[in-house]
Amino acid sequence: MEKIPYVNLPKQWAMDRDELLPILEAVFNSGNYIGGDQVVNFEESAAALCNTRFAVALNSGTDALIYGMLAMGIGKGDEVITPPNSFIASTAAIVHIGAVPVFVDVCDDQNIDPEKIEKAITKKTKAIMPVHLTGRVAAMKEILEISEKHSLTIVEDAAQSIGSKLYDKPSGSFGRIAGFSAHPLKNLNAAGDAGFLTTNDEKIYENICKVRNHGLIDRNTVEIFGVVSRMDALQAAILNYRLKKLPELMEARRTNAKLYQQLLNKEHVFFPEDKPEEFNTYHTFVIQVNRRDELKEYLLSKGIETSIHYPIPIHLQPASKSLGYKLGDFPKVEAQASRILTLPINQFLKQDQIEYISATVNEFYSK
């Protein structure tokens, strides 16, 4: 069996090259590299996919969270409840606007535990930021009930969950705003940094459209002091092309996940089962195992690349020292951090490769 990469961007380019090159050439020939039809078309398509009124194309999913929260009036001293097992961008966005991240523990599926949220609410709490980790939408029914009870706003970190659904409602349509990443490693991926925000709030939409472009309302008039957080036309063109391929990609990843679920020995390997109301697009396929680091090395020796999302929880990062958390504060997150391992699940994997990976994992624990 040849080496199995965790991701395979060269393979994606090889398959897309002949169709993408003319699209990119058309962008270069237009001379319109910032804004224009490609960006507008992407925003319309992204909003339609997420079943929201608006989408705003931006430089990153992180910027979507930052400027989305600022547009909602969240700022200095406000508290935002979120889990500490996400990528650092979730918490960083809260910190960058002067707000305070308040962490709560998670469920077995790694998503934020609704039962822990209510206990963390104070007079300073302004919002809840669930993170749809691995592509699985968080328990939004319960989270929305809590937010309505306490008059809190919902900020979805939907960076990993493009196309995912819960009760047939798309990721990105539950909160007042949602931030999506189109980083090269995401299921809907650009060839560089890119992201977007979704919302049904027209005022938020109009605000961020100005903020991302220096606050300009025309070439010479600055209505507010803004920033540069635009998605360029080349990235938008790539995303428009890949949006058409997204259903096929999602189906391939879901098929790979089902095969893993059938083949992996559940006596030694834990993974959350899909519930009937969930449509998980599997940005990652994360298992939880004992002797994780040994297994990772064993798989690598057999030509199988894996990853860990994420080995150090945010509350234990050096950057979080001032927040005052310590080891033992979030037992489930901390236990999972030492047990989680992300197996390859990219859409280019063949059935025999999934079978080989599963057999190799099972073999490790049979010894």
Side-chain angles (χ1 to χ4, degrees):
M1 179 69 67
E2 64 183 33
K3 181 178 178 181
I4 301 176
Y6 173 69
V7 294
N8 202 341
L9 295 180
K11 176 78 169 178
Q12 184 181 35
W13 169 243
M15 294 184 69
D16 292 351
R17 185 179 187 276
D18 290 346
E19 293 176 332
L20 254 183
L21 278 177
I23 294 171
L24 300 180
E25 185 176 21
V27 174
F28 279 115
N29 286 336
S30 74
N32 190 356
Y33 304 152
I34 302 295
D37 289 346
Q38 290 287 359
V39 174
V40 171
N41 291 343
F42 173 73
E43 290 176 333
E44 291 175 351
S45 297
L49 177 64
C50 297
N51 195 25
T52 57
R53 292 182 64 198
F54 308 104
V56 187
L58 296 164
N59 179 62
S60 66
T62 308
D63 278 5
L65 295 176
I66 290 172
Y67 300 118
M69 286 190 286
L70 286 173
M72 292 189 293
I74 302 172
K76 189 173 181 180
D78 293 330
E79 293 179 351
V80 180
I81 296 172
T82 196
N85 64 336
S86 174
F87 182 58
I88 192 66
S90 309
T91 296
I94 298 167
V95 172
H96 283 316
I97 63 171
V100 180
V102 175
F103 296 128
V104 299
D105 218 338
V106 299
C107 300
D108 290 340
D109 67 2
Q110 296 186 266
N111 275 339
I112 191 168
D113 186 346
E115 293 186 5
K116 302 289 195 301
I117 291 174
E118 205 154 15
K119 298 174 185 176
I121 295 171
T122 71
K123 292 179 180 179
K124 294 182 179 179
T125 306
K126 198 76 172 281
I128 305 168
M129 183 192 287
V131 181
H132 305 321
L133 208 63
T134 77
R136 173 178 281 103
V137 177
M140 293 309 301
K141 182 175 179 287
E142 294 82 357
I143 294 170
L144 284 167
E145 289 173 356
I146 293 168
S147 72
E148 290 168 7
K149 177 180 176 181
H150 295 275
S151 300
L152 301 174
T153 193
I154 298 290
V155 178
E156 289 178 78
D157 183 338
Q160 299 185 5
S161 61
I162 186 71
S164 296
K165 297 179 183 179
L166 183 68
Y167 296 107
D168 210 34
K169 186 174 171 62
S171 167
S173 66
F174 292 92
R176 193 171 173 202
I177 65 118
F180 287 86
S181 171
H183 181 276
L185 297 183
K186 296 299 189 290
N187 288 5
L188 176 63
N189 60 329
D193 282 319
F196 62 98
L197 173 145
T198 56
T199 185
N200 289 313
D201 190 314
E202 189 168 4
K203 288 185 178 179
I204 290 175
Y205 166 73
E206 291 174 348
N207 174 271
I208 296 174
C209 284
K210 293 172 191 171
V211 166
R212 70 176 171 182
N213 190 34
H214 289 297
L216 291 162
I217 55 173
D218 58 41
R219 171 89 179 149
N220 301 306
T221 308
V222 177
E223 187 171 79
I224 56 176
F225 287 111
V227 297
V228 178
S229 184
R230 301 174 298 228
M231 180 189 292
D232 65 63
L234 280 168
Q235 302 300 349
I238 293 168
L239 292 172
N240 283 328
Y241 168 77
R242 289 184 172 157
L243 267 171
K244 297 172 185 176
K245 293 195 164 192
L246 187 60
E248 180 183 345
L249 178 149
M250 293 189 300
E251 186 55 36
R253 296 176 87 98
R254 283 172 54 79
T255 297
N256 290 343
K258 287 176 184 176
L259 194 54
Y260 273 133
Q261 291 165 347
Q262 292 166 9
L263 296 173
L264 289 169
N265 185 343
K266 295 180 185 178
E267 183 180 347
H268 301 289
V269 180
F270 172 80
F271 48 82
E273 301 279 359
D274 289 343
K275 299 173 183 175
E277 64 269 22
E278 293 176 339
F279 183 86
N280 186 348
T281 53
Y282 286 99
H283 167 61
T284 52
F285 186 84
V286 180
I287 60 174
Q288 299 178 35
V289 291
N290 293 328
R291 300 165 55 204
R292 186 269 312 282
D293 294 341
E294 293 177 54
L295 174 61
K296 182 174 174 59
E297 287 301 315
Y298 183 75
L299 292 173
L300 187 60
S301 75
K302 301 293 185 178
I304 302 165
E305 288 185 354
T306 59
S307 188
I308 302 173
H309 297 85
Y310 302 93
I312 305 175
I314 299 173
H315 70 289
L316 300 179
Q317 292 285 354
S320 299
K321 190 173 181 180
S322 64
L323 298 176
Y325 293 104
K326 63 185 185 303
L327 186 67
D329 284 345
F330 307 106
K332 213 153 225 184
V333 163
E334 293 166 15
Q336 289 173 357
S338 66
R339 301 184 74 243
I340 51 176
L341 184 68
T342 309
L343 301 180
I345 196 169
N346 68 76
Q347 61 271 25
F348 305 111
L349 292 170
K350 305 298 184 184
Q351 180 173 329
D352 64 337
Q353 292 177 308
I354 301 286
E355 291 171 347
Y356 173 68
I357 295 168
S358 301
T360 306
V361 171
N362 294 340
E363 178 184 69
F364 174 82
Y365 287 106
S366 70
K367 292 183 176 181

